[in-house]
């Protein structure tokens, strides 16, 4: 089991995680992210048991909202650590683990209306960017779940006829 939470450290907000083993023993917290100039907000995490890997996500607020992902092993050591998302902008990441990889989805705040962006991340930490079937309407709410080992994206958008529910499995590219 894993608990990740923002915490105040000096004048910065960091994402900190602590693993709890099968005997319900909590291990010492590990700092996943810290930025000496900007805080880390809205953490998310998922565990891929077949690879003994966690994928963490959070946003850093500078002059824009930037999304960050980091992969850690089951002892929370870097494996490989922070993942290059090529400057992806966004907030509130949601992450789910499938049988062999992770799916991370976030609202892209650099677009108007706000659209969803996504990446499949394999067990080595390599991202493959994929585009949800955006409808070009404002995203109201979204979630990612895993069903039978396959992460699936659900979202609601708001258009002229009212809110619509969409489903996209975002299969590997």
């Amino acid at each position: 089991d894993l608990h990740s939470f923002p915490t105040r450290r000096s004048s910065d907000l960091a994402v900190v995680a602590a693993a709890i083993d099968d005997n319900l023993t909590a291990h010492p917290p590990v700092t996943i992210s810290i930025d000496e100039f900007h805080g880390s907000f809205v953490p998310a995490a998922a565990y891929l048991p077949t690879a003994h890997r966690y994928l963490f996500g959070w946003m850093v607020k500078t002059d824009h909202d930037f999304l960050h992902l980091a992969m850690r092993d089951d002892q929370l050591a870097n494996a490989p650590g922070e993942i290059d998302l090529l400057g992806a902008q966004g907030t509130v990441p949601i992450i789910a683990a499938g049988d062999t990889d992770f799916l991370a989805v976030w609202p892209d705040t650099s677009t108007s209306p706000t659209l969803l962006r996504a990446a499949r991340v394999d067990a080595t930490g390599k991202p493959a960017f994929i585009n949800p079937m955006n409808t070009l309407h404002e995203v109201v709410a979204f979630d990612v779940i895993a069903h039978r080992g396959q992460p699936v994206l659900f979202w609601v958008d708001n258009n002229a006829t009212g809110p619509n529910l969409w489903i996209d499995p975002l299969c590997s590219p």
Side-chain angles (χ1 to χ4, degrees), residues 27 31 46 56 62 69 75-76 79 86 97 102 122 125 130 136 142 144 153 161:
H27 295 269
T31 300
F56 292 90
T62 60
L69 296 176
Q75 301 301 307
L76 301 179
L86 307 173
F102 295 93
D122 71 16
I130 49 180
L136 302 180
F142 73 103
V144 178
L153 168 65
T161 62

Side-chain angles (χ1 to χ4, degrees), residues 121-162:
V121 180
D122 71 16
T124 68
K126 180 181 175 190
F129 297 97
I130 49 180
N131 289 316
M133 182 185 61
N134 281 306
T135 60
L136 302 180
H137 300 290
E138 188 76 23
V139 172
V140 177
F142 73 103
D143 201 357
V144 178
I145 64 161
H147 177 69
R148 294 187 180 173
Q150 172 64 43
V152 178
L153 168 65
F154 289 82
W155 79 96
V156 175
D157 69 17
N158 199 10
N159 64 28
T161 62

Side-chain angles (χ1 to χ4, degrees), residues 64-149:
H64 298 286
D65 299 328
F66 289 99
L67 189 79
H68 292 260
L69 296 176
M71 187 169 286
R72 301 292 183 109
D73 67 14
D74 53 1
Q75 301 301 307
L76 301 179
N78 284 333
E82 188 145 1
I83 296 168
D84 184 5
L85 295 178
L86 307 173
Q89 292 187 38
T91 61
V92 195
I94 296 181
I95 303 170
D99 283 342
T100 60
D101 64 358
F102 295 93
L103 175 61
V105 180
W106 61 91
D108 182 349
T109 54
S110 70
T111 62
S112 181
T114 300
L115 302 177
L116 292 174
R117 301 291 181 233
R120 288 268 186 187
V121 180
D122 71 16
T124 68
K126 180 181 175 190
F129 297 97
I130 49 180
N131 289 316
M133 182 185 61
N134 281 306
T135 60
L136 302 180
H137 300 290
E138 188 76 23
V139 172
V140 177
F142 73 103
D143 201 357
V144 178
I145 64 161
H147 177 69
R148 294 187 180 173

Side-chain angles (χ1 to χ4, degrees), residues 17-76:
I20 300 173
D21 65 23
D22 293 339
N23 296 322
L24 300 179
T25 302
H27 295 269
V30 174
T31 300
I32 303 300
S33 74
I34 188 146
D35 184 309
E36 62 182 286
F37 302 109
H38 307 286
S40 301
F41 303 96
V42 292
Y47 183 66
L48 184 62
T50 56
H52 305 285
R53 295 286 185 266
Y54 289 99
L55 183 64
F56 292 90
W58 66 94
M59 68 169 265
V60 172
K61 191 159 191 67
T62 60
D63 56 337
H64 298 286
D65 299 328
F66 289 99
L67 189 79
H68 292 260
L69 296 176
M71 187 169 286
R72 301 292 183 109
D73 67 14
D74 53 1
Q75 301 301 307
L76 301 179

